[in-house]
């Protein structure tokens, strides 16, 4: 099972849409400025009850339906995200639980906007070595929860959403053919999102700032990131093609990270390729970081931009700095899953949630009978209650 083929894909974006005109009423900006500098018209915003994990679950469930794969057959779940609700449990573990994927390993991957391509390569390698037979790779983000809504230079750029693919091992040549993963930590200050270490000591209060920005919000040097992005898209595409013994002429479509249209236009120029070779949907999604490539892939399939035997390149770039490209032969036609079967799947997810709750209660009851403290006894009462409700 040397080759890891994409056999399923799915996306989920929240219903709520925030347009440039909405932003005009919130901050000092204009639809004209945002459209001209970024190409973005609108973005989706997660609802109060939605989290990175629930978006990821919806995308994964749709990808599994296309693949016609039962959740209990899934062996690996990778979630690329920069906006997990918890450091642990990982978002991937929560998705595993929601799906009822009882035989899957699960972990999160942190490589910012390159995360999905990193995850794709990790999963393809695990399949190629025989470690697993299949995997779900998800990019999921709630970026709008980590924005400084007073910083007009960043808050107009991002949106929320999730996209997923199912990979399956096969002896038929194709699938993920070659990848290039790169990083340059010296540019970490150009694009950052502080986490644990930068949480304020309580006495410092909310006025504690990091890098000139409010804590736990994105800080970015837009111009430097622009320069970096246009260069690494071209470099990583060339390098990946060289590894696969191919040239740009063999490529049918490039699905880049959807940061903004000007970066994509500049990269197309650098590669001397027509703009149409690059799929874009950033106009309607904004920058959804690790989710942007799988969401764009789903839209490209829906728009008929990918045909069997096409060669498609995914190319990501972002915080770290990180960048990555993957060349995929798109040669598996999905099975036609009937409506009753799809509905039956949804019922299984309700069952999976019920079973998970029963397991949790069972554990607590066992601890109570045994008289030993529950594993989370060390949490303060308030914390404990809110986490119980969350999880
Ligand atoms: N509305 C109106 N004016 C604005 C806004 C806004 N939303 N944001 C900034 N401005 C103003 C600035 O204050 C500045 O005004 P000044 O000249 O009076 O000081 C002026 O516009 C120019 O600001 P710059 O930041 O220099 O604008 P620039 O032309 O560089 O465009 C942008 C900013 C769009 C972010 C650009 O740098 C860019 O595309 N960078 C790429 C980075 C990117 O897309 N990152 C996405 C996340 S990272 C990733 O996904 C890898």
């Amino acid at each position: 099972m040397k080759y890891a083929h994409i056999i399923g894909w799915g996306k989920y974006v929240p219903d709520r849409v925030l347009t440039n005109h909405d932003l005009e009423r919130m901050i000092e900006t204009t639809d004209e400025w945002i459209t001209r500098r970024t190409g973005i018209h609108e973005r989706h915003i997660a609802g109060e009850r939605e989290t990175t994990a629930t978006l990821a679950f919806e995308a994964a469930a749709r990808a599994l339906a296309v693949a016609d794969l039962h959740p209990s057959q899934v062996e690996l779940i990778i979630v690329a995200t920069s906006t997990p609700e918890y450091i642990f449990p990982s978002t991937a573990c929560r998705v595993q639980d929601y799906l009822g994927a009882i035989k899957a390993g699960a972990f999160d991957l942190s490589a910012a906007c390159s995360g999905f391509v990193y995850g794709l390569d990790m999963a393809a390698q695990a399949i190629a070595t025989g470690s697993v037979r299949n995997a779900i790779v998800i990019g999921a983000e709630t970026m709008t929860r980590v924005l400084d809504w007073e910083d007009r230079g960043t808050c107009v750029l991002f949106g929320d959403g999730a996209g997923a693919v199912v990979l399956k091992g096969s002896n038929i040549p194709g699938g993920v053919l070659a990848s290039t993963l790169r990083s340059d930590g010296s540019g970490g200050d150009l694009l950052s999102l502080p986490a644990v270490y930068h949480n304020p000591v309580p006495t410092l209060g909310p006025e504690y700032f990091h890098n000139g920005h409010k804590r736990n919000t994105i800080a970015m040097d837009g111009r430097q990131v622009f320069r970096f992005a246009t260069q690494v898209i071209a470099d990583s595409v060339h390098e990946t093609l060289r590894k696969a013994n191919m040239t740009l002429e063999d490529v049918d479509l490039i699905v880049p990270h959807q940061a903004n249209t000007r970066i994509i236009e500049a990269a197309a120029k650098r590669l001397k390729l027509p703009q149409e070779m690059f799929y874009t949907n950033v106009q309607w999604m904004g920058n959804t970081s690790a989710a942007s490539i799988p969401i764009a892939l789903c839209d490209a399939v829906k728009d008929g931009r990918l045909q069997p035997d096409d060669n498609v390149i995914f190319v990501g770039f972002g915080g770290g700095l990180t960048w990555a490209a993957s060349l995929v032969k798109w040669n598996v036609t999905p099975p036609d899953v009937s409506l009753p079967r799809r509905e039956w799947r949804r019922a299984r997810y309700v069952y999976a949630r019920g079973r998970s709750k029963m397991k949790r209660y069972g554990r607590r009851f066992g601890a109570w009978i045994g008289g030993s403290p529950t594993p989370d006894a060390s949490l303060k009462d308030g914390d404990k209650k809110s986490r119980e409700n969350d999880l």
Side-chain angles (χ1 to χ4, degrees):
M1 297 293 183
K2 216 169 124 191
Y3 302 96
H5 289 269
I6 293 179
I7 60 160
W9 48 91
K11 70 162 192 184
Y12 178 80
V13 290
D15 290 337
R16 194 174 151 211
V17 170
L18 187 75
T19 65
N20 292 349
H21 295 295
D22 294 329
L23 282 165
E24 281 175 349
R25 289 189 286 273
M26 294 163 59
I27 49 168
E28 210 186 316
T29 190
T30 60
D31 172 48
E32 193 272 332
W33 191 97
I34 303 172
T35 306
R36 187 159 44 83
R37 306 266 179 146
T38 71
I40 298 168
H41 297 298
E42 57 186 44
R43 66 290 288 145
H44 294 255
I45 309 276
E48 234 170 78
R49 294 175 66 83
E50 286 175 317
T51 67
T52 298
T54 65
L55 305 186
F57 158 73
E58 289 292 347
R62 288 164 196 208
L64 283 174
V66 172
D68 199 15
L69 191 70
H70 196 282
S72 66
Q73 293 172 290
V74 174
E75 297 187 7
L76 179 64
I77 300 170
I78 301 176
V79 177
T81 185
S82 301
T83 48
E85 263 179 288
Y86 291 93
I87 305 296
F88 57 85
S90 67
T91 306
C93 278
R94 303 194 68 182
V95 173
Q96 176 277 330
D97 188 40
Y98 295 161
L99 289 172
I102 49 175
K103 291 189 190 139
F107 68 93
D108 284 2
L109 189 154
S110 167
C113 309
S114 319
F116 175 78
V117 184
Y118 266 67
L120 194 68
D121 184 56
M122 296 295 105
Q125 297 306 325
I127 287 170
T129 58
S131 167
V132 297
R133 283 170 295 185
N134 61 56
I136 307 179
V137 182
I138 308 167
E141 304 281 12
T142 44
M143 297 304 289
T144 61
R145 303 231 166 110
V146 293
L147 295 176
D148 176 355
W149 287 97
E150 286 166 11
D151 176 13
R152 64 179 183 171
T154 53
C155 76
V156 302
L157 302 175
F158 295 92
D160 302 332
V165 296
V166 177
L167 289 167
K168 192 173 176 204
S170 165
N171 288 321
I172 302 166
V176 181
L177 299 177
S179 299
T180 303
L181 311 183
R182 291 280 184 276
S183 63
D184 176 7
S186 74
D189 57 322
L190 300 182
L191 192 51
S192 60
L193 173 58
V196 181
Y197 176 76
H198 292 286
N199 271 334
V201 177
T203 51
L204 290 177
E207 70 277 20
Y208 180 82
F209 280 70
H210 162 73
N211 234 357
H213 280 254
K214 285 182 185 151
R215 69 187 174 92
N216 293 352
T217 58
I218 285 179
M220 178 181 74
D221 180 334
R223 294 211 164 176
Q224 294 272 11
V225 171
F226 193 102
R227 217 164 294 142
F228 146 76
T230 50
Q231 173 154 3
V232 298
I233 292 175
D235 290 354
S236 52
V237 165
H238 280 308
E239 167 123 30
T240 306
L241 284 170
R242 193 181 51 70
K243 285 180 185 168
N245 250 333
M246 287 191 191
T247 69
L248 281 171
E249 284 179 8
D250 299 309
V251 179
D252 298 285
L253 188 70
I254 297 179
V255 180
H257 166 49
Q258 307 285 312
N260 73 51
T261 43
R262 282 197 310 150
I263 290 181
I264 296 169
E265 281 160 17
K269 231 182 231 161
R270 213 178 175 109
L271 283 164
K272 299 191 178 70
L273 289 174
Q275 188 61 42
E276 304 75 62
M277 283 264 309
F278 286 74
Y279 187 81
T280 59
N281 66 351
V282 68
Q283 302 87 328
W284 317 114
M285 299 290 158
N287 180 345
T288 55
S289 191
S292 88
I293 292 176
I295 290 175
L297 168 67
C298 293
D299 286 351
V301 174
K302 197 171 85 210
D303 292 350
R305 294 290 303 271
L306 272 170
Q307 305 303 327
D309 280 339
D310 276 359
N311 291 316
V312 54
I313 291 187
F314 303 121
V315 55
F317 47 90
L321 299 168
T322 56
W323 60 102
S326 228
L327 172 67
V328 173
K329 183 163 273 295
W330 188 259
N331 52 356
V332 181
T333 318
D336 190 14
V337 184
S338 67
L339 190 65
R341 204 159 153 160
R342 276 206 303 262
E343 290 311 310
W344 170 234
R345 283 267 155 75
R346 301 303 300 191
R348 285 205 62 90
Y349 297 134
V350 176
Y351 168 71
R353 290 210 184 190
R355 190 179 50 188
S356 168
K357 257 201 178 122
M358 291 310 291
K359 264 173 99 176
R360 204 168 299 140
Y361 289 143
R363 257 184 225 125
R364 273 184 215 147
F365 185 66
W368 181 67
I369 292 283
S372 64
T374 55
D376 55 357
S378 60
L379 294 175
K380 287 196 195 114
D381 273 358
D383 277 359
K384 206 165 127 185
K385 249 203 183 83
S386 95
R387 288 189 201 186
E388 276 170 12
N389 288 341
D390 272 8
L391 299 166

